[in-house]
Amino acid sequence: MWCCRPSFQLHRGVGREEVMSSTLVETVSINYEDFNESFLTCGTCLFLTWAGSFDGGEHTPKLLHCSHTVCLHCLSRIVASHAREDGTFRCPICRESIRIPSGGVAALPPSFLVNQLLDLMSRQRREVIPKCSTHANQELLFCESCDLVFCTQCSNGSHQGSPASYQHTVIPLSIAIKRMSEILCYKANECYSKLNEASDAVRTEMHQLDHAADATFEEVNRAFQAIVDVIEQRREAVVANVKKMRDEKKKVLQDQLDIIEGERRKVQQECEGLQYQVEVRNITKKIAHLNTKIDSLATLVEPRENAFLKFENGRGEAFDQVRATIEDYGRVATSRTFPSLCFMKAKKAMTHLRSEVLVTAVDYEGQTQQVGGDPMEATVTSEAGDNVECQVEDNQDGTYSVFFTPEQGGNHSVAVRLFGRPVKESPLTVEVLDEHNPETVYGSRGSGRDQFLQPVGICLDEEGYLYVADTGNSRIKVLSPQLREVQHIVGDALEGRSVTGITRTPAGSLVFVNWRKRTVTEVTSSGQLLSQFTHDRLQEPTALAVNGLGEILVADNAANSIFVFLAGGKLVRHWGTKGTKPGQLGSVAALCCGPDNEVVVADSRIQVFSPEGQYVRTIFETKAGKGPKGTYGGLFLDPRGLLLATRQERSHSCIQVFDYTLGTLIFTIDSREAKLKRPSGLAATPDGYVIIVDLGNDCVKKFRYM
C-alpha cells in the first residue's frame, strides 16, 4: 500500500479527507490567521465581496454614517422600494434613518477598510497545483468513481477498482477541486438567491406592516377624535346652557337692581330741601308718603332670582355608562394565520348549482384557527379562462367558504389569497360535473312496502315529511325526511286509482282530488277525514292548489277551466276557455300559487293569472315549429323565487328551473343526466333539494338544484 500526504494551499477554507483502500489519507486545508471572511460579506445580500471585482461594479461596498457597510446593489434596491417621503431610508442592519445624498446612493462614501481588505485578499490569491507529498514532482489525481486521491507513482501507474471491469474516471485533482468549487459556488449562489428572495419578502412584509400600523394609527386617532368631538360638543352645549341660565338670572336681578336704584333716587329727591321746610303739614304729608313707600319696598328687599346653578351628571351613572362604552369601543384586529399552511377542500360541484370550496385557516405552529376575521380573497376561473363570480363567507370558526355557480362543466381554477399571498394548494383545480344525477332514489314498482304503482302527486310539510299520491295503489304514502316509509293513508276517497292531485293547506291539512269521483277531500296529516265536497260544474278535475287565503283552486281538463272554492265547497269564481292563445287553457296538468296569490298554470306552457283570473304573462312556451311540444307534470315555487317544473316531451323528460320574477329559464336537468321517465309532481326542501315523483319508474328521486 502507498500513502500520499500532499501539502498545498487553496484560496478557500476547505477541509476534506479521502481514503484509498485502508491507509491512503489526503488532507487539503488552508488557514489565513489574520483574515476573517465576515469582514468581506455584505450583511444584507450575503454577497461575498472578495469573489468579485470592485471597479465601480454594482456590489461596491458603501459606508453609511451609522458605520455599517452595505453593497451598492442592496442600497439601490432598498431605496427603490422603501424610501420615505422625507428623502431617507433605514439602515437594513440597525434600522437607523439614513439621508439619501443628492446624487443618490452611489454618492455615498466607499468603505475604505473593506477596500483595503480586498486589496490584501487579492494579493493572497494564487493558483496552486496540488503535488504529492512523497513524490514532489507528481501531480495528484482524483478518481471520481472511487472518490480517492493518488499519484501515478503511488499507484504504480495504474488504478483499478473491484471488480476489474469497473470503469474509472480519473482527472487531475486541481480540476476536481475546481469543479467542486464551481458546484459549491453554484449551490451557494442558489442559497443566496433564496435567502435574498426570503429577505425581500420579509422586508416587504415589514414595510407593509409599518404602513398598516400607520394607517391603523390614523384610523384609531380619527375614531377617538370623533368621540372627543362629540364630548367637546356636549361640553360646549352644557357650558353655553350655563351661560344662558346665568344671563337670564342676572337680567332679572339687574332689572330688580335698576328698580331699587330708581326708588332710591325718588326718595332722595323727596328728601331734598326738607331742612329748609317750615310747613309742618308738608313734612307730615311726606312722612306719610315715605311710610307707604317703605311698605311697598318690602317686595324689593328679597332678590327675585337666586344664584343656584349646579351641574348634574346622573349621580355618576351616565359617567359609568360612558366610561364602559369607551372602554369597549373599538378593537385592533390581527391574525396569526400562516397562508402557506392553510388548506383547501372542494365539495362536489355541478353546473348551475352553488358550489363550495372550504378553506381552513392554520397558524405558523400548524394549529387550526378557531375564529374568523381573516381577509380572504378568492377568484374562480373556468376551463375556458372566463372569470366566474364568487363570494367568500367567513364561517367565524376558522373556516371560510368560497361559493360560486359554474355555468359550464370542466376544470375550474379556484385561487385563494390571504395577505396577498396564496394559501396552500392554491390555485385548486375543481372538477365541475355536467351531470345532475339523483342523490337518492326511493321505491320500486309494486304494492308492498317501499313500492309505488303510478305515483302522481307529492307535497311536503314544514318538518320535511313527504306525502305521495300512490295512485295505482289507491293510497297516500307518507315518507320521512330521510325517505323512509312511515305510514299509508287509505280511505274511500282514495279508491278508484284516480287521485291525481295533492297539496297542503295553510292549516297543515292535506287536500286531494279524485277525478273519477269528481270529489275534493280534506284530511289531517294522519288521514282523518275533515271535509269532502263536489260540484256539478266539475267534469274531470285533475290538479289543485291552495292559496294564502285558504281558497282551493281546482283545474278541470274537460272544462278547460280553473274553479275556486271556499274550504266548505262553495264556488266563488272560475275562469278559462279552451285554446292556445294567451289566457286560454289546454289540458292543465299542474298549478300552484304565487306570493301574492297569483295563479301559475301549466299545460304545454306556463302562464300566470291574477287571483281573479285575468291573464298576466307567459313564463315559458315552445315556439311553433321551433321545438318539440310537450306537457308539464308538476309545478313548485320555492321561497327564493325559483319556479321548478317537470316537463315531458316526446324524446325526453326534464326538470326546468325558472326565475319566477324575470320569467327566464336558468337551467335544465334532462333525462339523459337524471334518468327521468315521465316525471310528475315535485316539491323542494329549504336546503336546496327537489324531490320528484317519477311516474314511469314508479319511484321518488331527490336532486340538488341549488
Side-chain angles (χ1 to χ4, degrees):
M1 295 294 177
W2 296 89
C3 179
C4 298
R5 187 174 298 277
S7 176
F8 58 94
Q9 291 185 332
L10 297 177
H11 65 280
R12 296 191 182 182
V14 179
R16 179 184 177 87
E17 291 188 354
E18 305 292 349
V19 179
M20 184 177 71
S21 182
S22 61
T23 59
L24 182 59
V25 178
E26 182 270 332
T27 301
V28 180
S29 64
I30 184 171
N31 180 25
Y32 294 111
E33 297 178 353
D34 57 347
F35 186 79
N36 189 340
E37 287 181 2
S38 62
F39 289 107
L40 302 179
T41 304
C42 175
T44 303
C45 67
L46 302 181
F47 180 83
L48 296 179
T49 57
W50 49 264
S53 60
F54 287 88
D55 51 350
E58 61 177 5
H59 292 285
T60 300
K62 291 292 184 178
L63 181 65
L64 306 181
H65 73 73
C66 60
S67 300
H68 289 115
T69 300
V70 182
C71 73
L72 178 61
H73 172 73
C74 291
L75 291 176
S76 300
R77 185 175 57 191
I78 292 172
V79 169
S81 58
H82 304 301
R84 298 184 172 183
E85 295 179 357
D86 58 356
T88 62
F89 67 95
R90 289 184 177 180
C91 171
I93 299 174
C94 67
R95 309 297 292 171
E96 183 175 344
S97 293
I98 308 297
R99 181 162 296 280
I100 303 172
S102 58
V105 292
L108 290 170
S111 178
F112 295 102
L113 176 61
V114 174
N115 285 330
Q116 288 177 349
L117 292 175
L118 288 170
D119 293 338
L120 173 64
M121 191 61 188
S122 64
R123 291 193 298 269
Q124 294 284 343
R125 296 176 61 185
R126 57 178 62 88
E127 293 291 336
V128 178
I129 298 177
K131 302 291 184 178
C132 178
S133 60
T134 304
H135 309 93
N137 62 342
Q138 292 295 315
E139 180 181 355
L140 286 176
L141 304 177
F142 177 72
C143 179
E144 293 182 339
S145 304
C146 300
D147 199 24
L148 294 178
V149 178
F150 59 94
C151 76
T152 54
Q153 291 189 11
C154 291
S155 61
N156 293 326
S158 64
H159 175 72
Q160 293 183 350
S162 180
S165 61
Y166 188 83
Q167 297 296 323
H168 294 267
T169 302
V170 178
I171 59 174
L173 181 59
S174 59
I175 296 178
I177 293 174
K178 184 176 181 181
R179 289 180 179 177
M180 287 186 287
S181 298
E182 291 174 351
I183 295 174
L184 177 64
C185 290
Y186 177 77
K187 294 298 183 181
N189 287 332
E190 280 190 336
C191 292
Y192 296 151
S193 177
K194 293 291 185 182
L195 292 172
N196 287 338
E197 182 180 346
S199 176
D200 289 344
V202 173
R203 293 184 187 279
T204 300
E205 198 70 22
M206 291 174 62
H207 181 68
Q208 293 176 351
L209 177 61
D210 289 337
H211 279 286
D214 292 340
T216 305
F217 291 150
E218 294 179 1
E219 292 176 1
V220 170
N221 291 334
R222 282 196 300 269
F224 281 91
Q225 186 60 46
I227 295 178
V228 172
D229 292 342
V230 172
I231 295 175
E232 181 61 22
Q233 290 174 4
R234 179 57 182 164
R235 186 194 70 80
E236 292 177 354
V238 174
V239 169
N241 195 27
V242 172
K243 292 180 180 180
K244 179 183 178 182
M245 293 181 179
R246 179 201 64 185
D247 294 341
E248 291 176 350
K249 287 176 174 287
K250 198 170 185 179
K251 184 178 183 302
V252 173
L253 294 173
Q254 184 63 47
D255 291 343
Q256 185 178 359
L257 188 61
D258 293 342
I259 295 173
I260 294 172
E261 290 298 327
E263 294 297 330
R264 181 186 286 119
R265 286 193 296 271
K266 291 179 181 179
V267 173
Q268 185 177 0
Q269 290 173 359
E270 291 182 359
C271 293
E272 288 179 354
L274 286 179
Q275 64 271 28
Y276 306 108
Q277 186 63 252
V278 296
E279 183 65 39
V280 175
R281 183 177 295 176
N282 290 335
I283 295 174
T284 303
K285 183 178 180 181
K286 287 185 177 291
I287 291 173
H289 179 70
L290 289 175
N291 285 334
T292 304
K293 185 177 286 293
I294 289 172
D295 293 338
S296 66
L297 291 177
T299 58
L300 295 176
V301 173
E302 183 178 358
R304 295 177 180 178
E305 260 294 357
N306 56 71
F308 179 76
L309 284 176
K310 181 182 178 182
F311 174 65
E312 296 181 348
N313 57 6
R315 297 181 179 179
E317 294 180 1
F319 176 79
D320 292 339
Q321 292 176 358
V322 171
R323 182 175 61 183
T325 301
I326 292 178
E327 287 177 351
D328 293 336
Y329 178 72
R331 72 180 187 91
V332 179
T334 186
S335 173
R336 299 185 69 251
T337 303
F338 195 65
S340 60
L341 292 182
C342 301
F343 55 90
M344 306 166 61
K345 182 179 181 180
K347 297 184 179 180
K348 186 178 180 180
M350 291 184 287
T351 55
H352 309 293
L353 302 184
R354 195 183 193 205
S355 303
E356 179 184 5
V357 173
L358 190 67
V359 183
T360 302
V362 180
D363 64 15
Y364 183 75
E365 284 77 23
Q367 299 296 322
T368 302
Q369 301 291 72
Q370 303 299 320
V371 295
D374 291 327
M376 293 281 183
E377 298 177 342
T379 57
V380 180
T381 307
S382 68
E383 191 169 14
D386 300 326
N387 289 329
V388 179
E389 183 180 355
C390 65
Q391 302 86 33
V392 179
E393 292 187 7
D394 188 347
N395 299 320
Q396 299 298 327
D397 59 357
T399 64
Y400 303 81
S401 296
V402 180
F403 291 108
F404 65 100
T405 304
E407 300 297 329
Q408 301 174 347
N411 292 332
H412 283 57
S413 176
V414 180
V416 177
R417 299 180 71 85
L418 175 61
F419 315 131
R421 291 177 269 167
V423 303
K424 184 180 179 182
E425 301 168 339
S426 177
L428 180 69
T429 300
V430 179
E431 183 183 4
V432 177
L433 303 177
D434 216 359
E435 299 180 353
H436 295 76
N437 294 317
E439 296 198 3
T440 306
V441 177
Y442 169 82
S444 60
R445 184 176 181 82
S447 301
R449 184 178 179 84
D450 301 326
Q451 290 184 325
F452 296 99
L453 190 61
Q454 296 179 336
V456 178
I458 187 173
C459 64
L460 184 74
D461 67 13
E462 289 83 357
E463 297 180 356
Y465 284 85
L466 292 167
Y467 301 86
V468 183
D470 189 3
T471 304
N473 289 316
S474 298
R475 63 189 182 186
I476 296 174
K477 185 184 288 289
V478 184
L479 302 177
S480 70
Q482 295 75 31
L483 297 185
R484 295 188 179 93
E485 184 176 300
V486 176
Q487 67 175 37
H488 289 132
I489 297 175
V490 296
D492 293 340
L494 294 164
E495 294 298 328
R497 298 181 178 182
S498 50
V499 173
T500 53
I502 185 171
T503 188
R504 292 182 73 249
T505 68
S509 59
L510 300 175
V511 180
F512 56 86
V513 60
N514 188 316
W515 71 269
R516 291 185 189 275
K517 295 185 175 183
R518 297 185 295 116
T519 57
V520 177
T521 306
E522 181 179 4
V523 299
T524 65
S525 59
S526 59
Q528 296 176 345
L529 179 64
L530 296 177
S531 65
Q532 186 180 73
F533 67 85
T534 184
H535 198 278
D536 55 7
R537 300 289 296 272
L538 295 178
Q539 302 177 45
E540 189 181 327
T542 54
L544 78 168
V546 178
N547 62 19
L549 302 175
E551 297 175 331
I552 302 174
L553 294 84
V554 180
D556 193 305
N557 274 347
N560 299 108
S561 300
I562 305 295
F563 295 93
V564 182
F565 298 91
L566 296 180
K570 180 180 179 181
L571 178 64
V572 292
R573 61 186 176 275
H574 69 93
W575 74 85
T577 57
K578 185 176 182 180
T580 58
K581 295 180 180 180
Q584 294 182 327
L585 300 175
S587 296
V588 178
L591 73 160
C592 66
C593 295
D596 297 322
N597 292 323
E598 64 269 32
V599 184
V600 186
V601 182
D603 43 24
S604 61
R605 57 202 162 158
I606 299 177
Q607 299 182 94
V608 180
F609 297 84
S610 71
E612 292 74 27
Q614 281 131 5
Y615 171 76
V616 177
R617 60 191 170 109
T618 298
I619 291 181
F620 183 82
E621 180 178 14
T622 302
K623 294 182 179 180
K626 294 188 177 181
K629 185 175 181 179
T631 59
Y632 284 95
L635 288 175
F636 187 90
L637 181 60
D638 77 357
R640 303 175 183 85
L642 296 179
L643 179 65
L644 294 89
T646 56
R647 183 174 175 84
Q648 304 172 22
E649 295 180 354
R650 180 178 300 176
S651 59
H652 70 287
S653 302
C654 64
I655 303 173
Q656 295 175 328
V657 181
F658 297 91
D659 184 311
Y660 176 69
T661 302
L662 300 177
T664 56
L665 178 63
I666 300 176
F667 69 96
T668 299
I669 303 173
D670 64 30
S671 60
R672 290 183 295 273
E673 301 167 353
K675 301 177 177 62
L676 297 173
K677 186 178 180 181
R678 294 180 65 194
S680 185
L682 77 165
T685 64
D687 55 351
Y689 287 91
V690 57
I691 303 173
I692 69 158
V693 174
D694 194 336
L695 176 62
N697 290 313
D698 294 293
C699 65
V700 171
K701 295 180 178 179
K702 182 178 181 180
F703 298 86
R704 188 162 71 93
Y705 76 97
M706 288 192 63

